[in-house]
Amino acid sequence: MLEFDPEESRGAGWARSYIATLHRGEAYYLQLDSHHLFTRAWDVACVDTLARLSAVSPKPLLTSYVRDYPENVTDAEALLREPPWRMTTAHWMKPFSGLTPKKIQYIPAPIENHIMHAVRGDPQPTAFFSAHFVFVRAAWLREVPYDPLMYFDGEEDSIGLRSWTSGYDLYYPTTHIVFHRYHRSGSKKHWDDHPKMFADMTTASIKRLADIIATGGGATGSASMGTYGLGRTRTIEQYQHFSGVNYERMWLSSRARYGEILGRAPAQST
């Protein structure tokens, strides 16, 4: 366990980069926020799911905005009949301090009935990364190291883009593995106590996200951001085609708003 004084904190990316240093050779890596409610045999479900995905992807990564659970519920079994959620896009982050952020506001949405009936419990491909639920082989920690300079806004965008362009295929589960308590009445966040740091580091994170996107990815991408730039396997153009998101035009397609993707992910950059 790592302990820090609250005054030392520099946000989500900083914390998760420290957490990664605790890896001691385990085969898998699970990333969560606090306040989760697990189903029975959740770990077996995660390992089995990755094993099945390995038949269609060399680098599968399981991630999603999982379903919320009520504050008074302590048994996940009571929620299993509720439809699972997946990630969709709502809109671009509003401009502030003279910046037009290339940061998407993601929101959860129930998986539609026609998808649930068609997929029969199989995980489905997604273009979007949730920092509050990730299950992946631990090689990801080395190949896509967490950026300690991402305070909060831009964290999911940057690590998702970097993972996808590094050859990772993102999937959301269509069965319940874990539930998350999104809103907790009366709970303080780090930015409530540190408004100046929040403003400064959010500005810096949004600028950094734009710099990461500008590296382009793929074999000819820029190395200006070092290990925190886009990956060498796929390009930002391929991601935009796959996801329905256009960072240059600041445009979200209808399928991006519904959380749909276009066909299969390309194997590598062209």
Side-chain angles (χ1 to χ4, degrees):
M1 184 172 68
L2 297 172
E3 292 188 64
F4 294 92
D5 187 278
E7 297 304 316
E8 298 178 80
S9 175
R10 292 297 179 269
W14 173 88
R16 297 193 204 277
S17 67
Y18 264 111
I19 290 169
T21 67
L22 297 176
H23 179 248
R24 296 295 183 267
E26 296 86 352
Y28 301 100
Y29 180 71
L30 172 68
Q31 177 171 298
L32 300 165
D33 285 350
S34 57
H35 304 282
H36 281 72
L37 189 64
F38 291 85
T39 61
R40 293 193 182 103
W42 63 269
D43 50 347
V44 174
C46 285
V47 172
D48 286 352
T49 299
L50 275 197
R52 284 188 286 126
L53 287 172
S54 294
V56 295
S57 170
K59 292 183 177 183
L61 185 152
L62 200 60
T63 187
S64 188
Y65 278 1
V66 298
R67 192 177 181 94
D68 192 19
Y69 70 92
E71 193 167 4
N72 60 342
V73 171
T74 58
D75 183 2
E77 305 304 307
L79 304 171
L80 293 182
R81 292 185 178 275
E82 301 294 333
W85 288 355
R86 63 174 176 171
M87 289 180 72
T88 66
T89 66
H91 52 81
W92 297 94
M93 185 178 182
K94 294 180 180 179
F96 69 96
S97 301
L99 297 174
T100 302
K102 293 187 175 183
K103 187 266 174 291
I104 298 169
Q105 300 293 108
Y106 303 104
I107 56 173
I111 304 172
E112 291 86 346
N113 285 335
H114 71 276
I115 296 177
M116 293 295 294
H117 290 309
V119 303
R120 298 185 179 276
D122 289 334
Q124 296 300 296
T126 179
F128 309 127
F129 182 101
S130 162
H132 84 235
F133 173 68
V134 180
F135 190 79
V136 65
R137 288 186 177 85
W140 177 74
L141 293 172
R142 180 184 68 256
E143 296 177 7
V144 192
Y146 234 91
D147 189 342
L149 298 183
M150 278 292 171
Y151 178 79
F152 182 76
D153 285 312
E155 173 202 2
E156 292 177 323
D157 311 68
S158 63
I159 194 71
L161 286 168
R162 291 174 54 224
S163 296
W164 195 89
T165 55
S166 295
Y168 282 87
D169 295 317
L170 280 53
Y171 293 86
Y172 65 86
T174 58
T175 57
H176 291 299
I177 294 174
V178 63
F179 298 86
H180 178 48
R181 184 70 181 156
Y182 288 81
H183 304 290
R184 298 173 297 280
S185 57
S187 64
K188 277 194 173 184
K189 307 297 188 295
H190 183 260
W191 49 77
D192 294 324
D193 295 323
H194 303 79
K196 177 69 164 56
M197 181 189 297
F198 171 66
D200 292 346
M201 293 199 70
T202 297
T203 298
S205 295
I206 292 303
K207 290 179 179 178
R208 188 169 178 80
L209 174 60
D211 291 341
I212 289 169
I213 293 170
T215 63
T220 61
S222 169
S224 61
M225 300 296 291
T227 57
Y228 301 116
L230 297 184
R232 296 293 189 173
T233 304
R234 298 168 178 155
T235 66
I236 188 65
E237 289 80 13
Q238 288 175 308
Y239 177 81
Q240 291 180 142
H241 180 69
F242 177 71
S243 66
V245 173
N246 189 303
Y247 285 97
E248 184 176 350
R249 294 171 55 195
M250 302 286 287
W251 177 73
L252 300 173
S253 69
S254 295
R255 58 187 172 85
R257 293 182 185 277
Y258 280 99
E260 302 285 355
I261 50 89
L262 184 63
R264 297 175 65 87
Q268 58 187 12
S269 62
T270 55

